[in-house]
Amino acid sequence: MTETRRDEIEAFIRSLPDPEGAGTFLERLENQPSFNSSQITLLLLSRLLTLASYSPFLGETILLNPDYIDWLKREAERDLGHVKSTEQLFQELGRFAVRVAASDEQSKLAQFKRRELLRIYLRDCLGMATLSELTEELSNLADVILAAALAAAHQDMVNRHGTPSIRDERGRIAPAEMAIVSVGKLGCRELNYASDIDLLFLYIGEGKTAGDGRSADSVVDNREFFRSVASQVVRTIGTASGEAPVYRIDLRLRPYGREGDTVWEVERAADYYRNKAQNWERQALIRARSSAGNGALVAHFLDLVLDVIFRAEPLPDALADVRRLKEKIDRKEAEKGGGFNVKLGRGGIREIEFIAQALQLAYGGREPWLRSAQTLIVLARLAEKGYLSEAERARLSAAYTFLRTVEHRLQMEHCVQTHVLPVGHERLNLVARRCGYLNRPDPAAAFCADLEFHTTGVRAVYNRVFQQAADKSAAASVVEAKVEEQYIDDETERLARRAAAAVDRLEADPNLAAEPVIAQALPRCISPVRSLRNLTSWAESLATYDQEAREAIRGILSNRMPVLIERLLVVLSSPYLAQIIVSRPSLAAAVADPKPARTKEEFLRVMKVAIDRSGDLATRSDALRRTWYEQAVEIGYRDLSAVSGQSFVRSGKQSGVDGESGHVGTEPENSSIITRQPDAADVPIQRTTGYGPLRFGEALRANNLEQTALAEASLQLGTDIALESLDVKQDCHLRYAVLGLGRLGHTGMDYGSDLDLLVVFDDEAEWAPSEVGTTASSPQEFYGGLTSRLVRVLSSVTREGFIYRIDLRLRPDGQSGPLAQGLRSLLGYLGERASAWEHSAYLKVREVSGDLDFGIEVRNAICDAAFDAASRNPSLRQDLAHVKARLEREKGRGSRRNIKWGPGGMTDVYFITRYLQLLHRVRFGTELGTTALIAHLGERGHLDAEDTKQLLDGYGFLRSLDHWMRLLADRPSPILPASHVVLGDIARAMDLTSLDELEGRYSYYTDAIRRVYVRIFG
């Protein structure tokens, strides 16, 4: 080693948290016979030293397994910036298991886990991943290991006893299946480096195995079969042999705890949780999900117990019960003494989790939006609903990130489950340096000051939440939630004063008070009360942000406060947009100077500028997210301002402002245009014989087209980032296309729409990896990896949020099929195995990214294949009608209030139009979209004039209703809101005169659509 290189290395070691430990590691590494300093770059060596400095455990792992150094080098060269998906980890585990020398399954899995921890913790130490990304990757790793152990145990039992079976509801024999339900940290995808994993084993149906064909004794019942499988999984994962246990497994959350069976039939398990379980056992299921095995089985189980986890009525004792449990923990911790416990101590992680879970239990029955399992997401949603202030959310989220990081540093020193800080100053100093306090004169003192700040903040929120529960009577707590249909004048005025005070505290313009500005702006708001609350939350949220963000908005407020506040109030009537803006308060700048509607090319230019300013791949993905949110807010403002150009008049007065006095809130919220009497819900609706077209139909279509353009631009840029992460050569030509289905394919994107995608490549083209710049052995592997990266770029939840939910379930064979499809294989599937419903769904396919010329070929070939297959299907109509009936039953539950899945809903129109397309081999006209398709079918004579008009008017109404429900309802749902207040907001946005008109139109149009559906399908 040269003297210059030695000096560089020693200087780097001195910059690490534990220079002495890193120096010792380097000395031992250099003394290994296999060590060759000329083959290890400075960058690689710096990363090895970083791991050894932050985790002596991982340093020892490297020394005991020197071949991991080459693996880590390859991983770093490929990309350290992304989260490995379960699919990718499965593939790597398969390759690892073939090469590893260990003979038993337990040792292979333990070694694989330890190797993957090197990469994950290196990303952590280098700051290349957020807390959410780290815990997601740790959870993915656990899921893959569980799935591998389950598959091996299941196959071993099948070899000995044959396949277990059940009889389905039609009496047919079907395989019986099993699933592993994870709860706790793994269940919410927040696994620690040294967490236990809390598991519940379920299987479906009683029956017997087929036997091994040689002995009658080999036949066992399903319970015995799956009990043995579960026990073998526990032994493989949870017991030590040559290696430490892969994971410590905790089964105490199963029915009856330690006394209960290891494995439970799903109906019996559901019965236990419904009728016998204690509240804390049901609370644990908030975080339940499928980790391995049959995911549909777990979904069925959770459906069966959902209403006892989240009660329809408020739970007055929920907060008090959790508070008593935390007090018990506090007493035990006080008895132990020693260092501070970052998990169980006062103001620690457990208090944050208890705040979130207690409020979920109390209000989740009425607010499905609160039912997320992940802590940071729950906190955000609780703030959105008003159960936490935005300042409290920011305080708890920052504390949670800080405390979880400390927990990780403690655990990864020796990979043991600990949460207790050391007492001695020298040891505490080392923890502080590992937590980022490297350049402080006294790292321990600075660390302890921040620890005190965060835990004090958590405790303050905890006391506020749980003291309210202690002080309230049971009768009062039952009605603690917002009274939905009644806002008195004093309440509106109070909210306005509070919002004005919050804005004034920003010290924007000392010469201009916010209150008269707010009073002047309120008449333009669809929901003044909601706008006022959200404006307060926005100002409080902005106050917690960094100096740069605050100064940027203050600059706008100083110069243009009346304009900004007026526009913000308009936008903040929407819960969807308010959630975005309150959690990212600097986005208010997007409404200060909104631009005209943009095309795809204009979106590409704007977003690419932001991305190109970024550095590595992770920051490029975040730049895409940030600029996407800016565009989404601008679109939302244009949308809402178009319908708030005039004051909303309620009961003959202007809502929210007295024209003479200027005072806010001159009348109750429920005295709106909805003039129904208190018992009007019981009065039959007077129906008219017909309605004219909606006023905002053209504006809605323009909005859908702009949102589609934004989605297409995001997909194209997301694809570029994904390709870059795979080190694909920039000048190579790839024969593949990303195609949109559903709303994306039909140019009908709306707020909160998923992206239904299909990735197709040319499987007849010659595959030359070197020309592409990849090591993938096949196009299937390469394009599958590209699809996975694309999904992660657009769907991963980071500190910047996420862009779209990606749905790949329409690909051949659904979730069990490969992520990307070869064109030849896809066409074979469509011609031979696809259902009539799949043929109809594929008619919406449209090229949106990749090689668009190839995409056009794919689109035409897919449509031809669907038409050909449909022409050979004599039961096409019956097949589609059967699927429609099932969807109506399962998703719509037969409800006339479900605007998508219910009778006469939008799905009726989809099935009508697609069936006629398949029957008559009708391609789309020059314009895309369901409305254009209806008109096209009418022009070609496949729909008569009356049916065409009924479908056009009815579908236009439902799409407008769906659009405003997405913007104005408290949570995304296809079911009409029960709240008359929310329905009134929607009616005003749709330019309807009353709730009666909204209800009357809805009944009229759904009845009309249903009549057309019955005429066509019988």
Side-chain angles (χ1 to χ4, degrees):
M1 184 179 295
T2 66
E3 185 173 340
T4 301
R5 176 165 169 157
R6 171 62 69 179
D7 290 343
E8 290 176 341
I9 292 172
E10 289 180 353
F12 178 74
I13 288 175
R14 288 193 296 272
S15 72
L16 292 170
D18 183 11
E20 182 179 351
T24 301
F25 168 81
L26 179 59
E27 182 179 347
R28 292 178 63 193
L29 181 66
E30 290 176 330
N31 289 332
Q32 289 200 343
S34 60
F35 180 77
N36 186 339
S37 63
S38 64
Q39 295 180 355
I40 297 184
T41 64
L42 278 173
L43 178 60
L44 177 60
L45 184 57
S46 70
R47 287 172 168 172
L48 298 177
L49 291 167
T50 297
L51 282 170
S53 178
Y54 279 86
S55 173
F57 165 78
L58 291 181
E60 192 68 23
T61 297
I62 293 169
L63 294 171
L64 293 174
N65 303 274
D67 56 312
Y68 287 177
I69 296 176
D70 287 336
W71 173 82
L72 193 60
K73 177 183 178 183
R74 292 192 300 273
E75 289 291 300
E77 288 173 348
R78 279 200 289 267
D79 183 13
L80 282 175
H82 76 281
V83 175
K84 286 188 179 179
S85 66
T86 52
E87 292 83 1
Q88 187 176 358
L89 287 167
F90 267 123
Q91 294 173 2
E92 296 189 8
L93 175 57
R95 291 192 289 268
F96 178 85
V98 171
R99 294 194 304 268
V100 74
S103 57
D104 64 287
E105 188 74 11
Q106 194 268 353
S107 296
K108 289 179 182 179
L109 296 176
Q111 290 177 34
F112 178 71
K113 176 192 174 187
R114 189 175 295 184
R115 189 189 74 171
E116 290 299 322
L117 286 181
L118 291 172
R119 177 186 181 277
I120 296 171
Y121 200 53
L122 179 59
R123 280 165 34 80
D124 190 351
C125 298
L126 295 177
M128 299 180 72
T130 65
L131 173 65
S132 296
E133 290 172 331
L134 292 167
T135 56
E136 178 186 354
E137 192 159 20
L138 289 168
S139 301
N140 288 347
L141 178 59
D143 284 353
V144 167
I145 288 173
L146 282 170
L150 176 61
H154 187 275
Q155 188 58 54
D156 178 64
M157 286 296 291
V158 168
N159 292 342
R160 286 190 279 161
H161 299 287
T163 302
S165 63
I166 58 171
R167 288 193 178 274
D168 64 18
E169 56 187 17
R170 296 185 180 181
R172 297 173 300 188
I173 295 177
E177 297 189 87
M178 182 181 187
I180 300 179
V181 182
S182 56
V183 289
K185 285 284 194 293
L186 179 56
C188 64
R189 295 190 177 277
E190 293 177 349
L191 199 64
N192 290 331
Y193 289 100
S195 289
D196 293 354
I197 54 176
D198 299 286
L199 303 179
L200 169 64
F201 293 91
L202 297 177
Y203 68 97
I204 187 165
E206 302 297 354
K208 294 184 179 298
T209 65
D212 62 5
R214 298 186 299 272
S215 168
D217 294 338
S218 65
V219 177
V220 297
D221 63 38
N222 288 353
R223 180 182 298 184
E224 181 59 34
F225 179 94
F226 289 116
R227 181 185 291 127
S228 297
V229 171
S231 297
Q232 190 169 328
V233 170
V234 172
R235 286 194 301 272
T236 300
I237 301 295
T239 59
S241 55
E243 299 276 347
V246 189
Y247 293 100
R248 289 178 300 275
I249 293 181
D250 192 337
L251 301 177
R252 289 175 295 175
L253 290 177
R254 68 186 187 267
Y256 299 107
R258 291 189 178 94
E259 305 301 320
D261 289 342
T262 305
V263 64
W264 281 73
E265 198 278 327
V266 63
E267 302 289 343
R268 288 181 60 236
D271 178 71
Y272 172 84
Y273 285 105
R274 292 186 66 83
N275 300 309
K276 303 178 182 68
Q278 299 181 51
N279 283 338
W280 65 266
E281 293 178 281
R282 297 187 180 111
Q283 178 183 350
L285 294 183
I286 291 176
R287 294 174 158 192
R289 69 174 178 89
S290 172
S291 271
N294 187 323
L297 171 60
V298 179
H300 175 59
F301 167 70
L302 294 176
D303 280 345
L304 292 175
V305 298
L306 182 65
D307 61 337
V308 296
I309 302 172
F310 299 104
R311 304 268 184 184
E313 293 300 319
L315 295 176
D317 297 328
L319 298 180
D321 287 347
V322 177
R323 180 171 174 265
R324 284 192 290 270
L325 178 58
K326 184 60 176 68
E327 289 172 348
K328 184 178 179 181
I329 293 173
D330 287 346
R331 287 194 297 270
K332 287 187 176 181
E333 283 301 304
E335 294 170 359
K336 291 180 181 178
F340 179 75
N341 190 313
V342 297
K343 178 181 179 181
L344 301 178
R346 292 170 65 87
I349 296 168
R350 184 54 55 86
E351 283 193 6
I352 301 173
E353 293 173 337
F354 276 8
I355 290 168
Q357 291 177 28
L359 292 173
Q360 277 184 296
L361 284 174
Y363 308 115
R366 293 173 303 169
E367 300 277 12
W369 185 238
L370 301 179
R371 296 177 189 174
S372 174
Q374 293 179 291
T375 303
L376 293 175
I377 293 176
V378 174
L379 294 176
R381 294 183 177 183
L382 287 167
E384 178 193 341
K385 294 297 181 183
Y387 300 115
L388 294 172
S389 72
E390 183 55 37
E392 288 174 329
R393 180 211 61 81
R395 190 179 307 160
L396 293 176
S397 297
Y400 185 77
T401 302
F402 174 85
L403 293 168
R404 286 296 303 271
T405 301
V406 175
E407 181 183 46
H408 286 171
R409 298 295 178 264
L410 292 171
Q411 292 182 344
M412 281 308 291
E413 182 172 27
H414 300 298
C415 202
V416 295
Q417 189 181 43
T418 180
H419 310 93
V420 179
L421 289 169
V423 177
H425 186 271
E426 184 176 343
R427 293 281 300 129
L428 192 58
N429 219 36
L430 179 57
V431 171
R433 288 170 62 84
R434 286 174 174 158
C435 288
Y437 295 80
L438 281 165
N439 300 317
R440 305 292 183 90
D442 187 344
F447 168 78
C448 289
D450 283 352
L451 176 68
E452 177 70 16
F453 171 79
H454 285 300
T455 54
T456 300
V458 171
R459 194 64 181 188
V461 180
Y462 176 87
N463 286 336
R464 197 276 299 169
V465 171
F466 288 96
Q467 192 58 44
Q468 285 181 358
D471 292 344
K472 286 180 180 173
S473 66
S477 64
V478 170
V479 292
E480 178 185 10
K482 303 169 290 198
V483 179
E484 170 172 62
E485 296 183 5
Q486 199 168 24
Y487 296 101
I488 60 173
D489 296 348
D490 290 344
E491 171 73 357
T492 308
E493 189 171 353
R494 184 186 66 80
L495 289 172
R497 285 198 303 268
R498 181 184 172 197
V503 172
D504 288 338
R505 281 196 295 272
L506 296 174
E507 300 176 352
D509 186 347
N511 299 315
L512 187 62
E515 188 166 355
V517 174
I518 291 172
Q520 185 68 27
L522 273 185
R524 294 191 63 209
C525 299
I526 290 177
S527 175
V529 167
R530 179 179 284 140
S531 290
L532 290 169
R533 284 183 171 144
N534 287 330
L535 181 64
T536 303
S537 296
W538 170 79
E540 291 175 347
S541 177
L542 180 61
T544 68
Y545 263 61
D546 59 69
Q547 185 72 15
E548 183 178 352
R550 292 200 301 271
E551 290 304 320
I553 296 300
R554 280 176 180 162
I556 298 173
L557 282 169
S558 297
N559 298 316
R560 305 178 62 194
M561 184 180 75
V563 172
L564 179 62
I565 296 304
E566 178 184 1
R567 291 174 176 172
L568 266 180
L569 283 167
V570 168
V571 171
L572 293 175
S573 280
S574 163
Y576 174 84
L577 294 171
Q579 179 190 4
I580 294 173
I581 295 173
V582 170
S583 59
R584 302 165 186 83
S586 61
L587 285 178
V591 303
D593 187 22
K595 308 297 187 298
R598 288 191 168 111
T599 63
K600 174 185 175 181
E601 289 70 26
E602 290 168 334
F603 280 129
L604 281 171
R605 283 198 297 271
V606 171
M607 299 169 82
K608 195 170 188 309
V609 167
I611 293 171
D612 288 344
R613 293 196 192 109
S614 304
D616 59 26
L617 290 171
T619 57
R620 291 166 75 80
S621 295
D622 280 343
L624 176 62
R625 291 181 174 88
R626 285 192 296 272
T627 189
W628 183 90
Y629 279 112
E630 291 171 6
Q631 309 312 311
V633 168
E634 285 193 13
I635 292 172
Y637 171 73
R638 287 193 292 272
D639 199 3
L640 282 164
S641 62
V643 298
S644 61
Q646 73 287 337
S647 297
F648 288 108
V649 179
R650 307 179 182 206
S651 298
K653 301 179 185 177
Q654 283 192 329
S655 170
V657 179
D658 185 310
E660 296 180 359
S661 67
H663 290 166
V664 177
T666 58
E667 56 192 70
E669 171 71 12
N670 68 339
S671 66
S672 66
I673 57 171
I674 304 166
T675 57
R676 300 172 65 140
Q677 297 301 314
D679 61 347
D682 300 322
V683 178
I685 295 173
Q686 299 299 315
R687 301 185 183 172
T688 63
T689 56
Y691 292 96
L694 290 173
R695 174 181 169 188
F696 297 108
E698 293 182 4
L700 171 59
R701 183 59 184 154
N703 179 276
N704 289 164
L705 289 172
E706 188 176 13
Q707 294 206 50
T708 301
L710 176 60
E712 291 178 7
S714 303
L715 266 170
Q716 184 169 323
L717 294 170
T719 305
D720 292 344
I721 293 171
L723 286 169
E724 186 180 352
S725 73
L726 293 170
D727 295 325
V728 174
K729 294 179 180 178
Q730 293 186 358
D731 58 349
C732 71
H733 178 66
L734 297 172
R735 289 271 292 173
Y736 83 101
V738 180
L739 298 111
L741 296 138
R743 290 201 170 193
L744 177 61
H746 239 201
T747 66
M749 291 293 293
D750 212 328
Y751 303 103
S753 291
D754 295 353
L755 293 185
D756 295 287
L757 299 183
L758 180 69
V759 179
V760 181
F761 60 90
D762 187 349
D763 49 3
E764 294 184 330
E766 182 179 351
W767 179 244
S770 60
E771 296 180 8
V772 178
T774 179
T775 59
S777 60
S778 68
Q780 184 70 70
E781 179 184 353
F782 172 76
Y783 288 110
L786 173 61
T787 304
S788 179
R789 295 288 179 94
L790 174 61
V791 170
R792 196 157 301 283
V793 168
L794 297 179
S795 294
S796 291
V797 179
T798 71
R799 65 169 62 92
E800 300 295 342
F802 78 103
I803 302 179
Y804 295 104
R805 288 181 294 272
I806 305 296
D807 193 340
L808 300 171
R809 289 175 296 176
L810 284 175
R811 67 187 188 270
D813 298 314
Q815 292 179 337
S816 61
L819 293 178
Q821 308 291 320
L823 177 56
R824 179 177 53 184
S825 172
L826 171 62
L827 296 178
Y829 175 84
L830 288 172
E832 299 168 10
R833 293 191 290 128
S835 67
W837 177 82
E838 288 174 293
H839 293 144
S840 71
Y842 273 77
L843 293 179
K844 282 189 172 183
V845 73
R846 182 174 63 88
E847 64 285 351
V848 291
S849 183
D851 182 341
L852 297 183
D853 290 334
F854 175 65
I856 293 172
E857 295 178 29
V858 174
R859 168 163 51 90
N860 290 330
I862 286 175
C863 289
D864 285 338
F867 287 140
D868 291 343
S871 69
R872 300 191 301 270
N873 183 1
S875 59
L876 175 65
R877 183 169 63 86
Q878 293 87 339
D879 290 348
L880 290 176
H882 175 74
V883 173
K884 174 64 177 72
R886 179 171 60 80
L887 291 173
E888 191 174 303
R889 183 175 63 252
E890 295 177 0
K891 293 183 175 291
R893 301 185 184 276
S895 171
R896 301 286 306 208
R897 309 284 292 179
N898 192 309
I899 72 170
K900 180 177 182 181
W901 303 105
M906 290 186 288
T907 311
D908 276 25
V909 181
Y910 299 149
F911 272 81
I912 291 168
T913 53
R914 293 181 202 171
Y915 166 63
L916 293 175
Q917 276 188 282
L918 289 173
L919 182 64
H920 300 291
R921 205 179 184 98
V922 178
R923 296 181 182 273
F924 288 111
T926 56
E927 185 181 350
L928 295 176
T930 300
T931 301
L933 177 59
I934 294 168
H936 185 56
L937 290 168
E939 291 166 1
R940 294 177 61 117
H942 303 306
L943 282 169
D944 65 32
E946 180 61 22
D947 285 352
T948 301
K949 182 181 186 306
Q950 296 289 4
L951 292 181
L952 283 172
D953 291 347
Y955 183 75
F957 172 81
L958 291 177
R959 276 306 300 269
S960 182
L961 180 57
D962 172 72
H963 176 77
W964 292 109
M965 284 170 60
R966 289 169 180 266
L967 264 182
L968 299 176
D970 287 337
R971 57 183 181 272
S973 171
I975 301 173
L976 280 174
S979 164
H980 290 177
V981 173
V982 176
L983 283 174
D985 293 342
I986 294 168
R988 286 190 291 280
M990 294 176 67
D991 197 33
L992 304 178
T993 59
S994 67
L995 183 56
D996 283 336
E997 184 182 355
L998 174 63
E999 295 276 10
R1001 280 181 178 262
Y1002 181 74
S1003 296
Y1004 173 80
Y1005 285 130
T1006 52
D1007 286 347
I1009 290 171
R1010 193 56 165 188
R1011 285 194 295 271
V1012 178
Y1013 178 86
V1014 171
R1015 278 198 294 273
I1016 290 174
F1017 281 96

